[in-house]
Structure formats: C-alpha cells, structure tokens
Amino acid sequence: MGSVGAKEIPELLNAEGRRIDGRRLDELRPISMKVGPLTRADGSAFVEWGENKVMAAVYGPREVHPRHLMQTSKAIIQCRYNMAAFSVDERKRPGQDRRSQEISKVITEAFESVVFTEEFPKTSIDIYIEVLQANAGTRCAGLVAASLALADAGIPMADLVASVAVGKVAGRIALDLKKEEDNFGEADMPLALVPQSGRLVLIQMEGHMNRDEIREALDLGTKGCREIYERMRQALRTRYEVPAGAPAPEAMA
Ligand code: CDP
C-alpha cells in the first residue's frame, strides 16, 4: 500500500504480475450472461461481470415517442442507460445526469452501425439499460447486455456488438479494469467491436497512454472483445437450443 495525502493506494500489480483480484494482465473478470429473463420485454438479458450487475430490455420496433423524432426511411434507436441509486458506494442521485446521457448516446451510436434500421421505417427500437450494481466497465456490460437483448427481440443486425475496457495499471496494459484499477490506474479505454467485420464502434479514453501503449491496448482489447463475443454466442445458444429428446417443431403444431 502506498499513500497520497490521506488516500491509501492499493498495490495494483504484485511482483508475480498478479492484479488486485489475482488476475493476470490479459484476463477478464468472471462473466455470466442470461438471455430472456424478462417476460414483458420483447427481448432482454442480464449480465453479471465481476461485481457489475446489468439488466437490458428491448422493445420494438414500435411506435415512435415523441412522434417528431420519427424518420420516414428508417427506424430510430433510443437507448437509456441508467444507474440505480443503490448501484454505487455513495448513493447516486436518481435520474439522468450528464454521464448517463453521454453513455446512452455512445451506446446508441454503436448500435446504429449494426442494426438494419432501414427495414423498419417510422418505428423506434427502444433499449433500456439498468445498472443494478457497478464496479467499473458498466458501459461495456450494458452494451453486451443490450446486444443480447436485441438478438433476443429478433431485431435484424449485421452482427452482435462485443465490448470490454482496457487500460493502464501500474505502468502495464491491462484488460477489463475493476473499480480500484479504474480509480488508481493511469488510463481506461472502453471499446466495442463488431467482431465479424473487425470494426470498432465505440472507443473512448480517460487518462494517458503513449502511441505504443494505445496500440498494445487496442490489440489486447480486441482480443478481449472476441472472447466476450464467444461467450455471448454461447449464451444465445443456451437460450435457444432445443433440449435433446424434445419433439421437433412441426410435431408440436
Ligand atoms: O462504468 P464505466 O467504467 O463504464 O464508467 P465510468 O464513468 O468510468 O465509471 C467507473 C465506475 O465508477 C463505475 O462503474 C462505478 O463503479 C463508479 N461510479 C460511481 O461510483 N458513481 C458514479 N456516479 C459514477 C460511477
């Protein structure tokens, strides 16, 4: 432990190259994904990722509200990222602050590049992301949950969007920062990738990295997104697989 003023700074990387929770630099936190937990939404997903717990619900394509946002040639995507008051250490004031608005905007833009919006003119596809517990990387967990919820709702898309944050901790590039690493590390860079095309649809950065570090971070983050992508595909297969011995669909008619 070091200290700056009254603040204790935890040791973020030990001599064996292990992080504060025992992970190596290129390791993800444990993650579990459940597709379709909400029966009233058209699509939904719940993601537990480290200590993050995030629910996403999708409605649509449906009528546009407010109506003046309607576009005659395509569907609009409306996303609301929200953090519950009890999701963080110090109670968060309920409602949309600037941070939530920014995250809602960048997530909307990420999905605009994969959803085939032109197939549903004059409609709205509404995505709700509720962060129930936060521990850094919630925009990435929200993107993953929303992506699964869109697939669960049957919204046509070019591909799923996978997401993870990468950053710099104790001078080294590290995958999937947790809260202490985000708070006391040197940089945090959330990414979202469309794996089949290799296109990045979200990239943000807070802190400092040089050109070589950014390159290394992009490589590690891209690999991390591909790992997440495989987990997402598995979660969708689990949701939709027909149990062995179940009657064929035509036999159920
Ligand atoms: O969650 P994400 O990393 O995408 O966004 P951030 O703005 O970098 O926030 C990092 C973390 O700070 C969050 O995941 C929360 O754990 C915490 N935070 C908080 O404690 N109170 C807030 N009002 C906002 C964020």
Side-chain angles (χ1 to χ4, degrees):
M1 288 259 181
S3 70
V4 173
K7 258 193 193 158
E8 290 289 319
I9 298 185
E11 185 186 48
L12 295 178
L13 197 64
N14 70 15
E16 287 82 51
R18 298 280 182 174
R19 292 154 67 179
I20 195 160
D21 55 2
R23 280 183 295 154
R24 296 202 175 279
L25 289 163
D26 62 352
E27 252 180 90
L28 294 167
R29 290 175 284 184
I31 182 163
S32 79
M33 307 173 188
K34 188 170 169 48
V35 180
L38 303 178
T39 50
R40 296 208 177 88
D42 293 322
S44 60
F46 183 57
V47 170
E48 291 186 72
W49 187 343
E51 288 160 53
N52 292 316
K53 293 183 200 287
V54 179
M55 181 71 83
V58 165
Y59 293 86
R62 67 179 180 181
E63 213 172 292
V64 181
H65 290 288
R67 285 187 67 81
H68 69 87
L69 295 177
M70 187 174 81
Q71 299 218 5
T72 49
S73 60
K74 60 175 191 170
I76 59 163
I77 296 178
Q78 302 193 86
C79 173
R80 195 191 74 146
Y81 163 103
N82 183 54
M83 250 183 165
F86 51 79
S87 67
V88 286
D89 291 336
E90 276 180 36
R91 179 182 178 276
K92 183 196 161 286
R93 263 185 80 185
Q96 291 282 293
D97 53 13
R98 285 183 65 117
R99 175 179 170 279
S100 305
Q101 285 172 14
E102 172 218 310
I103 295 178
S104 302
K105 180 173 184 288
V106 294
I107 292 179
T108 303
E109 287 167 1
F111 285 122
E112 276 169 350
S113 62
V114 287
V115 173
F116 296 135
T117 51
E118 64 285 357
E119 288 189 17
F120 305 101
K122 302 182 186 173
T123 67
S124 178
I125 296 166
D126 301 331
I127 304 170
Y128 296 89
I129 295 171
E130 296 291 332
V131 177
L132 305 177
Q133 188 171 287
N135 191 283
T138 59
R139 77 194 65 203
C140 300
L143 261 156
V144 167
S147 205
L148 291 170
L150 283 164
D152 186 41
I155 307 283
M157 297 183 280
D159 197 3
L160 296 166
V161 177
S163 180
V164 73
V166 63
K168 187 174 167 189
V169 172
R172 304 288 300 277
I173 301 304
L175 185 64
D176 188 19
L177 309 193
K178 77 187 305 272
K179 183 90 168 33
E180 292 84 346
E181 297 176 319
D182 185 351
N183 285 0
F184 300 109
E186 294 97 291
D188 175 36
M189 186 166 81
L191 301 175
L193 178 79
V194 182
Q196 284 180 29
S197 65
R199 248 180 333 134
L200 284 167
V201 289
L202 178 144
I203 171 164
Q204 299 185 283
M205 189 168 113
E206 204 181 311
H208 299 278
M209 286 195 269
N210 66 30
R211 194 186 288 242
D212 289 340
E213 288 166 343
I214 290 177
R215 217 170 266 140
E216 187 185 339
L218 284 172
D219 282 349
L220 185 59
T222 304
K223 269 194 214 126
C225 283
R226 292 192 188 280
E227 254 184 272
I228 296 289
Y229 182 63
E230 284 315 312
R231 304 293 296 270
M232 294 169 78
R233 283 161 51 102
Q234 185 57 50
L236 285 165
R237 277 197 290 271
T238 304
R239 159 83 162 139
Y240 290 107
E241 76 192 350
V242 181
E250 59 272 21
M252 297 196 298

